[in-house]
Amino acid sequence: MKQHLAAVARKFISPSMRYELRNVSNVIRDMLGRACFWRWEVARFRLQQESPYEILYIGRKQQREMAKLLIGGKGQQQTQVPESSAAATTANRVVVSELPTLGALSVPHYLSAVVPLGRSLDDITARYDSELRRSIRKNRPLYEMRQTLADDDIAMADRDLLRPYATARQGIHAAQFPTEEVFRLAKGVGRLDLITVNGEVVACHLGCEITRAGKRYWSTLRFGYCEAVFSDAKKLREVNSITTFMALEWALANGFDYYDIGLCLARPDDGLLKWKRRRGGDVDSLGNHAYMFIRLPRTGVAQFLWDTPLFAVEGNKLTLHLGLPDGSSDEELASRYHEMVFGGLHKIYLYGARSSGEQFLENLRERYASVKSPPTMERVLSS
């Protein structure tokens, strides 16, 4: 019966409408999860011992790790704040909540990196740096990609490629796809490709099609790699670049409008997002509906956003919030934000004194001039 209803839905409901219905369903599910207030906690901590900013977290205990990632990035260690310090830190308090509060930024957990297609492969790769283009030209002929529908191959990819690589990258926090979901995607609504070198399977790609507003997206859900690849940093860089390039080739050859390289932590300085930006990925919420609501400190906002630049969503549009602290030279600002030029932004907010970073602001406008729809820039006066 369930399969019959799904088939009826596919016949009478357009792909774009199915996408919107899935989004509504995910939003409702997320809201119901947040409504379990008996699972909430109030926690106060600093992400570094010497940090002047106290984090006040209000939300589900299991989501506190996500709050730490969005504020401090990967590898941060929290330090508990003694109760006796509460009065002294109120002005420097950053409130991170799972429910919106007055004046808080709506910060997504994750963003997608999406490459606009509809142009030649040479045009897309022209923006790659010379070393990456050289590596692709050298190594691409060695690799082959083929779809598999065989149960043994799917089970092998799940067991030996997808799961070990996710564990190697994320450890106990790895969000593994259930095995039955891998089979469902590979045999029906998606596609599983095995990547081989000299006949030996070294990687796999699990993807599916998404249709949004009449546009077709080929979306990477997961890459998987064998241990011999992911345990060797140099080899992983090579294979990762080639598998991403082959997925891009396939999306272009099959008439897709966009190639979604996959999810990244929604931090402007996240290493994975930088990696995907260098491959032409524009930031896009693409149905990622989970948010933290971050209220900035009353004092030291420019310094806080210098340490912790943030993406945020206004309506359905992405914004970027950067700090220009007093005493920072234009050279320091340019160095800090060198790799924070993203396609897909609606607006950039720059927090600081009225006259701070004038030359940097002009350079930033010049860098965004080559973006198809450059964002507007707005100064926010702050200490």
Side-chain angles (χ1 to χ4, degrees), residues 250-269:
W250 189 88
L252 194 61
N254 285 273
F256 285 86
D257 300 293
Y258 297 92
Y259 168 47
D260 168 23
I261 310 178
L263 290 176
C264 309
L265 181 69
R267 272 188 63 97
D269 56 0

Side-chain angles (χ1 to χ4, degrees), residues 233-268:
K234 182 179 179 181
K235 189 65 176 177
L236 178 59
R237 283 195 299 271
E238 174 192 313
V239 181
N240 207 5
S241 292
I242 296 299
T243 52
T244 303
F245 181 74
M246 288 193 295
L248 169 67
E249 282 183 315
W250 189 88
L252 194 61
N254 285 273
F256 285 86
D257 300 293
Y258 297 92
Y259 168 47
D260 168 23
I261 310 178
L263 290 176
C264 309
L265 181 69
R267 272 188 63 97

Side-chain angles (χ1 to χ4, degrees), residues 49-62:
Q49 184 74 41
E50 67 279 8
S51 173
Y53 301 104
E54 173 194 306
I55 311 301
L56 176 65
Y57 172 70
I58 307 169
R60 289 170 291 179
K61 186 173 183 178
Q62 67 268 31

